[in-house]
Amino acid sequence: MNFMMRSRWWSFGFRTTIILYFVLLIVIPIIGIYTQSFSLGLKPFWESVTDPLAWKAVGLTLKLSIIATIINILLGTMIGWVLIRYRFPGRRLLNSLVDLPFALPTAVGGLMILLLLGPNSFVGGLSEKLGMEIVFHEPAIIIAMIFVTFPFVIRSVQPLLEEMDKSEEEASYTLGASKAKTFFQVIFPSMLPGIISGAMLAFSRALAEFGAVVLVAGNIPGKTLIAAVYIFGEIESDNTQGAAAVSVLLLTLSFLILWAVNLVQSRRLGK
């Protein structure tokens, strides 16, 4: 009896600790952002989010995040396919390097891009001679976003490829289907939930990127100033309400993306 009582108290204490941890580190800060954004009323909030610089920063962030996500979908799907379906020297090393953007500080990633593609580098100098500037322009922002979101699609696709029943693929070949037809009618539908969830996570992550982008964007208002850097600038200007207002837009969009990811995953698991 005493053992059961202690077990229940331990279980109750563990649940309470987890809930308290969740509330203190996630719920309260989120509520604080929404409260701060509307602290001066609805009109100042609307003026903050419709400010031309803020609107351009959010619009540019959305556009470049979509481009980076599309590239990640294509590259991530192909890389995930190769790492699962083929065996070659160095495969394990490459597979481990996929998670490097998660472990590497994003500011270091931005510095790497600056050193490799900046005006003083071979690639940067060559691109300038060809009339295409990379660093301090939109291409550098896209590259930075791709770097920090690189693992999402790959890690979402790989488990689905590993779990795939190869008998369906073999049956398709036996019935005379080509490799392309088999891929798009048998393999791709099985990969699609992972591609979608990985893409949405990559898009959400790209929206909020700061460390890698701030070093390579140039941060020119209306041209290369993205939302995260705009928010940082508003805080430095002591306009916390304006920063919170723009943050609410990104936060709400991230919530919607997270909900969509959970919906896709629950449908895949049949829940």
Side-chain angles (χ1 to χ4, degrees):
M1 187 68 179
N2 290 333
F3 174 76
M4 292 181 63
M5 288 294 293
R6 286 198 300 267
S7 178
R8 288 177 181 176
W9 274 110
W10 273 106
S11 178
F12 174 77
F14 181 74
R15 291 197 303 268
T16 303
T17 302
I18 294 299
I19 293 172
L20 184 62
Y21 182 86
F22 182 81
V23 169
L24 289 176
L25 293 185
I26 299 178
V27 176
I28 292 178
I30 289 174
I31 293 174
I33 292 176
Y34 277 93
T35 302
Q36 180 65 36
S37 65
F38 292 100
S39 60
L40 300 180
L42 186 60
K43 184 177 179 181
F45 170 82
W46 181 251
E47 291 176 350
S48 296
V49 297
T50 56
D51 181 86
L53 287 181
W55 192 244
K56 287 181 180 179
V58 172
L60 178 65
T61 304
L62 289 171
K63 182 184 78 170
L64 300 184
S65 296
I66 291 172
I67 295 173
T69 301
I70 292 173
I71 295 174
N72 259 326
I73 290 173
L74 298 175
L75 292 179
T77 303
M78 290 188 291
I79 292 171
W81 172 271
V82 169
L83 291 176
I84 294 298
R85 288 301 184 97
Y86 295 95
R87 297 293 182 269
F88 52 89
R91 184 183 69 87
R92 290 185 178 181
L93 176 62
L94 291 177
N95 190 50
S96 64
L97 289 176
V98 168
D99 294 322
L100 182 62
F102 286 156
L104 197 67
T106 54
V108 176
L111 180 60
M112 289 168 52
I113 296 171
L114 184 62
L115 294 177
L116 292 174
L117 303 178
N120 296 326
S121 67
F122 173 76
V123 177
L126 182 62
S127 65
E128 284 189 356
K129 290 180 180 179
L130 296 175
M132 183 181 69
E133 297 180 343
I134 300 176
V135 173
F136 308 131
H137 293 79
E138 290 185 6
I141 302 175
I142 296 173
I143 293 171
M145 289 180 172
I146 292 173
F147 176 79
V148 298
T149 60
F150 181 70
F152 286 109
V153 175
I154 299 174
R155 293 311 188 208
S156 297
V157 167
Q158 283 181 319
L160 300 182
L161 289 173
E162 290 174 342
E163 297 170 2
M164 190 179 299
D165 188 358
K166 291 187 178 181
S167 61
E168 296 180 5
E169 187 178 347
E170 293 171 356
S172 178
Y173 292 136
T174 302
L175 293 173
S178 64
K179 289 185 176 181
K181 189 174 183 179
T182 299
F183 177 81
F184 285 107
Q185 293 188 356
V186 177
I187 301 174
F188 184 73
S190 299
M191 298 168 58
L192 188 57
I195 295 174
I196 294 174
S197 61
M200 288 189 290
L201 289 172
F203 177 72
S204 180
R205 177 70 181 83
L207 283 178
E209 179 50 33
F210 175 80
V213 172
V214 69
L215 296 177
V216 299
N219 307 321
I220 303 172
K223 293 184 178 180
T224 61
L225 181 67
I226 65 168
V229 181
Y230 174 84
I231 292 169
F232 179 73
E234 290 299 291
I235 293 173
E236 284 193 323
S237 302
D238 200 26
N239 183 16
T240 55
Q241 191 275 336
V246 178
S247 298
V248 161
L249 291 180
L250 300 182
L251 183 59
T252 303
L253 184 57
S254 296
F255 273 135
L256 294 174
I257 293 171
L258 182 61
W259 174 80
V261 170
N262 290 330
L263 181 63
V264 170
Q265 291 177 342
S266 62
R267 287 186 176 181
R268 179 170 65 89
L269 296 174
K271 295 181 180 180

